[in-house]
């Protein structure tokens, strides 16, 4: 079918930030006395909003609370590393330009904070492909994925029915959110086991962003 709106996740789909951010998060939590491996960080936090980190630490360590300023300091560590390590996902720039040339409407909907999203897009050289009104964050709705609220908010704001949206996601939580919103979603398999994305309800799978135009 054809779609009236393509909704991109950001981290892991447009910008290659997941390896960097999960490594730094696991290191920081371990420093604070909450041993966390990179694999556990991917499993528990990939595709979720910042509050999920606090929730998981409280659940796992008998109600423990992360220190005041945790989010700001973690973001500062990540932003410092972005300059040296962050790049756009292969094919992201080409895909966005093709959508523009074909007049296919698209937007971005991420569980990350607005500052994180824009910083990542700036460093990766993709910011110029998005107008401000088409960048959506979990901050806008107060809850991140796997809740459907963010995707529904993006579709509603842009006047598109959920069933006419195609979501591109690389996390199980993102796939769950899109399906709960009544949207088709293709799972990008660069970092996530394809079987897990399929089990979460992915409409289909892609291994490369170059496959997206054929879906439209």
């Amino acid at each position: 079918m054809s779609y009236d709106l393509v909704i991109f996740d950001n981290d892991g789909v447009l910008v290659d930030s997941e390896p960097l951010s999960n490594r730094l998060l696991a290191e920081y939590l371990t420093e604070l006395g909450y041993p966390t491996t990179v694999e556990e960080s991917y499993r528990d936090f990939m595709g979720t909003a910042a509050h999920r980190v606090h929730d998981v630490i409280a659940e796992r360590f008998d109600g423990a609370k992360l220190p005041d300023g945790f989010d700001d300091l973690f973001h500062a560590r990540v932003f410092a590393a972005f300059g040296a390590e962050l790049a756009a996902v292969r094919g992201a720039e080409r895909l966005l330009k093709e959508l523009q040339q074909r007049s296919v409407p698209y937007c971005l909907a991420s569980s990350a904070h607005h500052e994180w999203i824009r910083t990542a897009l700036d460093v990766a050289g993709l910011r110029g492909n998005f107008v401000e009104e088409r960048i959506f964050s979990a901050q806008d709705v107060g809850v991140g994925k796997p809740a459907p609220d963010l995707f529904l908010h993006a579709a509603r704001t842009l006047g598109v029915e959920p069933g006419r949206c195609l979501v591109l996601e690389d996390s199980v939580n993102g796939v769950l959110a899109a399906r709960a919103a009544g949207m088709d979603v293709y799972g990008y398999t660069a970092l996530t086991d394809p079987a897990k994305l399929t089990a979460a309800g992915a409409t289909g799978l892609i291994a490369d962003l170059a496959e997206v135009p054929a879906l439209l």
Side-chain angles (χ1 to χ4, degrees):
M1 65 175 289
S2 61
Y3 297 96
D4 296 333
L5 180 66
V6 178
I7 303 179
F8 288 93
D9 177 41
N10 190 41
D11 295 295
V13 174
L14 293 176
V15 298
D16 192 19
S17 53
E18 292 290 4
L20 182 158
S21 60
N22 280 283
R23 185 189 79 232
L24 293 178
L25 180 56
E27 289 175 357
Y28 188 21
L29 290 173
T30 300
E31 285 176 22
L32 293 173
Y34 308 114
T36 304
T37 66
V38 174
E39 292 74 20
E40 288 170 336
S41 183
Y42 274 113
R43 183 194 67 201
D44 295 332
F45 308 127
M46 185 173 170
T48 64
H51 67 80
R52 175 65 178 160
V53 179
H54 297 260
D55 296 342
V56 168
I57 293 301
E59 293 168 5
R60 189 176 296 159
F61 295 96
D62 299 322
K65 292 186 178 181
L66 293 170
D68 292 341
F70 172 85
D71 292 345
D72 290 340
L73 183 52
F74 172 58
H75 288 176
R77 291 187 179 197
V78 173
F79 295 164
F82 272 176
E85 300 183 46
L86 186 66
V89 168
R90 184 183 64 183
E93 176 81 12
R94 187 182 312 112
L95 173 57
L96 294 172
K97 295 300 184 187
E98 180 166 349
L99 295 183
Q100 293 165 29
Q101 292 168 2
R102 291 172 56 176
S103 298
V104 176
Y106 65 87
C107 69
L108 184 159
S110 169
S111 285
H113 289 184
H114 276 291
E115 181 185 14
W116 178 297
I117 296 168
R118 285 161 176 77
T119 300
L121 290 175
D122 282 338
V123 174
L126 299 177
R127 178 76 173 274
N129 295 288
F130 289 91
V131 297
E132 288 296 308
E133 296 76 15
R134 289 178 177 262
I135 297 176
F136 301 96
S137 162
Q139 282 183 293
D140 301 331
V141 294
V143 62
K145 307 163 190 175
D149 304 49
L150 175 58
F151 287 137
L152 291 172
H153 170 65
R156 183 169 55 250
T157 300
L158 298 177
V160 179
E161 290 296 319
R164 302 293 302 171
C165 297
L166 172 65
V167 178
L168 299 176
E169 269 287 354
D170 69 326
S171 73
V172 167
N173 286 313
V175 170
L176 290 171
R179 296 306 290 163
M183 300 177 179
D184 281 357
V185 53
Y186 272 70
Y188 179 48
T189 61
L191 292 174
T192 305
D193 181 350
K196 292 183 179 179
L197 295 172
T198 299
T203 309
L205 302 172
I206 57 171
D208 192 296
L209 293 181
E211 300 173 49
V212 174
L215 305 176
L216 307 175

